[in-house]
Amino acid sequence: MLFSTLFALTAAASALAVPVSNFTRCDSHISHDDRQMVEAQFAIDHAAVLANETSRRAITPISPSLRRVVHVVWHIIQESTALTGGAITEDTVRQSISTMNTHYSGSTFYFVLDSITRTTNADWFRFAREDRAEGTAMKRALHSGDEKVLNVYSTGVTYPTIGYSTYPWQYSANPYKDGVVINYETVPGGSNIYYNEGKQLTHETGHWLGLYHVFDDGRSSCSDTDFVADTPAQKFSTFGCPTERDTCPDQPGLDSIHNYMDYSYDSCMTEFTPGQIERMKAQTLTYRGIRGQTWPPIILTHIMDLPSTVASAPIPVITGVPIPAPGPHP
């Protein structure tokens, strides 16, 4: 049994969660109680998938040369043709994917840009949040592919949140909602001074692959967990790039200020833990059907060279039909 029955609950929790600080950075929050429900079901679902995988591998042995290739469709949402209106270039999109691949180096996940769409719509640009009609309309109109395809929407979504994502187990209830939304100023070289190294996309994609935040989401305690054994307990999200921060001094380890799933400045974020990588593999196998694939040496070399290859390859760009704004918003 997959998670269609839990989507509405977890989506509502994301929309209504109390910010853990004045700056939330990401709006993908799930309460402690909902996480317990999600994880109990995940244990059942994953066990069932593993049983099936054992049978498959007995028939077709798996080579150690594995890559989990994720295809990406990027939707540029702009309110004008100016850069300040969200009109980032196709080269910036390609650079974003290449940069994210460096962040996921060693994880076996690899992202390949399939296509780019461009839509001029001021309402979607300004108000496409998870809990607003504009966000729903945008995704209904533009979402492409199945559960294995990462849909990225660059918009003007702004403080206190500059991004949000769905989780793997939410896909079956509302497939069109699947994907990540980021503020266009957070791309590599963007105008958001502290968050312009492309790591907002990396963070939100971490959620899309199944990771929670490394800090306690909502209860501000040291008793909660992100269900990853090698990320130390952390009471609050991080702002800036503090040194030797420890919000749970009675428990082992310092805060994960360098982890991509915290809220630190981009310059401070540098890592996923081995436990997080294993969780992403398990989550995406269970709910997205993403498996490590065996590649002949020549194909594997081509895949690993994709950042430079993609930069010069023709990527289809589809221009959306401008939709008139219905009127002022509060």
Side-chain angles (χ1 to χ4, degrees), residues 5 16 23 61 95 153 177 180 189 195 200 241 269:
T5 57
L16 299 175
F23 174 59
Q95 183 185 2
Y153 304 83
K177 287 189 174 182
V180 308
Y195 309 99
Q200 188 66 28
C241 192
M269 289 178 159

Side-chain angles (χ1 to χ4, degrees), residues 247-266:
T247 55
C248 296
D250 295 333
Q251 298 197 36
L254 300 173
D255 288 3
S256 300
I257 64 170
H258 298 298
N259 198 284
Y260 290 120
M261 301 314 293
D262 202 348
Y263 281 1
S264 312
Y265 289 165
D266 276 13

Side-chain angles (χ1 to χ4, degrees), residues 82-288:
L83 179 58
T84 54
I88 60 175
T89 67
E90 285 75 43
D91 282 345
T92 296
V93 172
R94 296 184 183 98
Q95 183 185 2
S96 296
I97 299 300
S98 179
T99 298
M100 184 163 66
N101 277 323
T102 67
H103 301 159
Y104 279 88
S105 175
S107 72
T108 75
F109 288 97
Y110 201 85
F111 303 90
V112 177
L113 181 62
D114 278 0
S115 63
I116 302 169
T117 73
R118 185 181 296 274
T119 303
T120 302
N121 185 312
D123 271 9
W124 292 359
F125 177 78
R126 298 173 186 171
F127 306 113
R129 295 186 181 277
E130 187 68 21
D131 59 342
R132 293 191 60 135
E134 293 86 354
T136 298
M138 176 185 74
K139 289 185 173 183
R140 279 192 184 278
L142 297 177
H143 185 273
S144 177
D146 60 15
E147 71 275 15
K148 298 180 180 67
V149 176
L150 173 60
N151 280 252
V152 177
Y153 304 83
S154 56
T155 74
V157 62
T158 190
Y159 293 102
T161 294
I162 52 176
Y164 61 88
S165 174
T166 56
Y167 290 91
W169 60 83
Q170 295 175 325
Y171 178 84
S172 60
N174 288 297
Y176 76 89
K177 287 189 174 182
D178 192 52
V180 308
V181 177
I182 61 167
N183 180 282
Y184 76 97
E185 295 174 314
T186 66
V187 297
S191 57
N192 190 320
I193 186 170
Y194 296 120
Y195 309 99
N196 64 353
E197 297 180 16
K199 294 175 182 177
Q200 188 66 28
L201 177 59
T202 299
H203 176 102
E204 301 304 344
T205 300
H207 290 312
W208 189 85
L209 295 172
L211 295 182
Y212 296 117
H213 294 132
V214 292
F215 51 86
D216 182 13
D217 239 343
R219 298 197 312 170
S220 299
S221 74
C222 292
S223 61
D224 212 352
T225 176
D226 60 353
F227 295 88
V228 175
D230 59 1
T231 56
Q234 184 170 325
K235 196 171 185 178
F236 304 113
S237 59
T238 301
F239 182 77
C241 192
T243 304
E244 302 290 309
R245 184 173 187 254
D246 191 358
T247 55
C248 296
D250 295 333
Q251 298 197 36
L254 300 173
D255 288 3
S256 300
I257 64 170
H258 298 298
N259 198 284
Y260 290 120
M261 301 314 293
D262 202 348
Y263 281 1
S264 312
Y265 289 165
D266 276 13
S267 59
C268 199
M269 289 178 159
T270 58
E271 64 187 18
F272 291 112
T273 68
Q276 286 177 313
I277 292 171
E278 290 307 308
R279 178 176 171 85
M280 289 188 282
K281 292 177 183 177
Q283 280 275 321
T284 53
L285 173 64
T286 302
Y287 296 121
R288 298 198 182 279

